[in-house]
Amino acid sequence: MLGSDLEWFTTLAETENVSAAADRLHLAQPTLSRMLARLEHRLGVALFDRHGKRIRLNDYGRLYYEHARRARAELHAGEQAVADRLNPAKGVVRLSFLHSFGGGLTPQLIGEFRRGSGRVDFTLFQGAAEVITRQVLDGEADLALVSPRPGEPGLGWRTLLNQPVVLAVPGDHRLAGQRQIRLTELGDAEFITMHPGFGMRRIFDELCAAAGIRPRIAFESSDLVTVRGLVAAGLGIGLVPLEEPAPPGVALVPLADAGASRDVGLIWSATATPSEAVRRFRDFAGEWAARRHTR
């Protein structure tokens, strides 16, 4: 399987819907079905279980998909390497980042970088920390902005900034205006936090474990904006990175707990050879962080 073959199979595997995949690929459904039948005949095994009009990857299909996905990423990297050699001044950076970085850090870095490297293009993806870390390891993203630092092997890391983690409470809460607080004082509170797999959820779980409390979780979200909104509505309290000014209806209380902060950084595959555009953006991010540190 090369080129377009990888595209149609991985698209079908990711949608598990012949109609949706055919529309995305601009193919007729019977054509896509015949392509799949030929592939399964060549492999000697069905890759999908059929349930009426629906299909679902089976064990063989998931195994084959993992290899096809990595092969697709390698081919894309090869195409980019050739493009970089043809025109080093132009390039593409595949950048993944946490949702919470979409309103500030990511556009700030890209904007400042492109003012000096205007011909570099960016492909952007937002997701949970576990998802975008896996994208980098699998070669589907060149770089990712994450927090906290992932523990998986095979990753390069560059710290860009450190943010205090604070307690967010409704503006009229009894703790609003308090100088600081410890998590041990909040054992009976109802918390609003991120879903498992997100960076702030990992920090929340680690801080609660260190404080020896088992938090009561009222709501889980995949977006820090939603967490702050639920706090403002009086539905619980939460831990959030410090931002100035505080969101409307929310008061931020400093935490006295050790380790109540999050490192924000850039990750990349330690084994992949970066393109010229990726290397330049990575170096720029390091210089940007150094300038912030000296202010």
Side-chain angles (χ1 to χ4, degrees):
M1 296 180 71
L2 291 176
S4 60
D5 288 332
L6 287 171
E7 291 295 338
W8 74 253
F9 175 74
T10 53
T11 299
L12 184 60
E14 288 161 1
T15 60
E16 294 188 321
N17 185 302
V18 175
S19 176
D23 287 344
R24 187 180 301 180
L25 294 163
H26 306 292
L27 293 172
Q29 291 185 41
T31 300
L32 182 57
S33 296
R34 285 195 297 271
M35 293 162 68
L36 174 59
R38 285 196 295 268
L39 174 62
E40 291 180 323
H41 178 74
R42 180 163 62 85
L43 294 175
V45 66
L47 300 175
F48 295 86
D49 291 330
R50 275 72 170 175
H51 304 281
K53 293 184 179 181
R54 297 182 57 82
I55 62 172
R56 187 173 298 279
L57 280 172
N58 58 29
D59 289 342
Y60 295 110
R62 283 188 290 272
L63 177 64
Y64 196 74
Y65 167 67
E66 287 302 318
H67 287 276
R69 182 166 56 88
R70 288 196 294 270
R72 180 183 61 177
E74 283 297 316
L75 279 177
H76 287 174
E79 292 167 2
Q80 188 56 53
V82 171
D84 288 340
R85 179 66 63 86
L86 286 171
N87 191 348
K90 181 174 173 61
V92 176
V93 176
R94 298 172 300 164
L95 178 65
S96 295
F97 54 96
L98 303 183
H99 291 280
S100 58
F101 298 153
L105 178 61
T106 301
Q108 182 180 359
L109 281 173
I110 293 175
E112 292 186 21
F113 173 74
R114 289 193 67 175
R115 280 192 281 274
S117 305
R119 299 189 66 187
V120 173
D121 294 327
F122 283 80
T123 300
L124 303 179
F125 177 84
Q126 294 171 269
E130 287 184 0
V131 173
I132 63 178
T133 297
R134 177 49 52 189
Q135 286 182 321
V136 170
L137 288 169
D138 288 346
E140 296 177 351
D142 301 306
L143 301 166
L145 290 163
V146 298
S147 178
R149 181 175 183 173
E152 289 86 344
L155 290 171
W157 165 267
R158 180 167 292 162
T159 302
L160 300 183
L161 54 92
N162 181 271
Q163 293 177 315
V165 171
V166 296
L167 179 69
V169 300
D172 58 356
H173 195 274
R174 62 181 178 82
L175 297 175
Q178 192 159 322
R179 294 184 61 183
Q180 67 176 14
I181 195 166
R182 292 186 177 276
L183 282 173
T184 51
E185 303 173 54
L186 304 171
D188 294 332
E190 288 193 329
F191 284 90
I192 301 164
T193 186
M194 304 288 284
H195 287 294
F198 284 81
M200 274 304 302
R201 177 56 179 267
R202 176 182 152 194
I203 292 171
F204 173 81
D205 290 342
E206 289 175 352
L207 286 172
C208 289
I213 66 170
R214 300 184 66 177
R216 296 164 55 202
I217 297 177
F219 295 94
E220 295 177 323
S221 175
S222 58
D223 193 301
L224 277 172
V225 173
T226 303
V227 170
R228 296 186 186 100
L230 292 170
V231 169
L235 298 172
I237 63 176
L239 300 188
V240 299
L242 178 63
E243 293 181 348
E244 297 292 349
V250 174
L252 302 178
V253 183
L255 287 172
D257 298 74
S261 65
R262 70 171 186 172
D263 282 329
V264 176
L266 198 64
I267 60 171
W268 59 89
S269 169
T271 59
T273 301
S275 69
E276 178 65 16
V278 171
R279 184 192 61 77
R280 283 193 287 136
F281 181 73
R282 190 173 73 189
D283 291 346
F284 167 82
E287 294 164 1
W288 178 89
R291 289 196 300 271
R292 283 180 54 92
H293 186 69
T294 57
R295 287 175 187 170

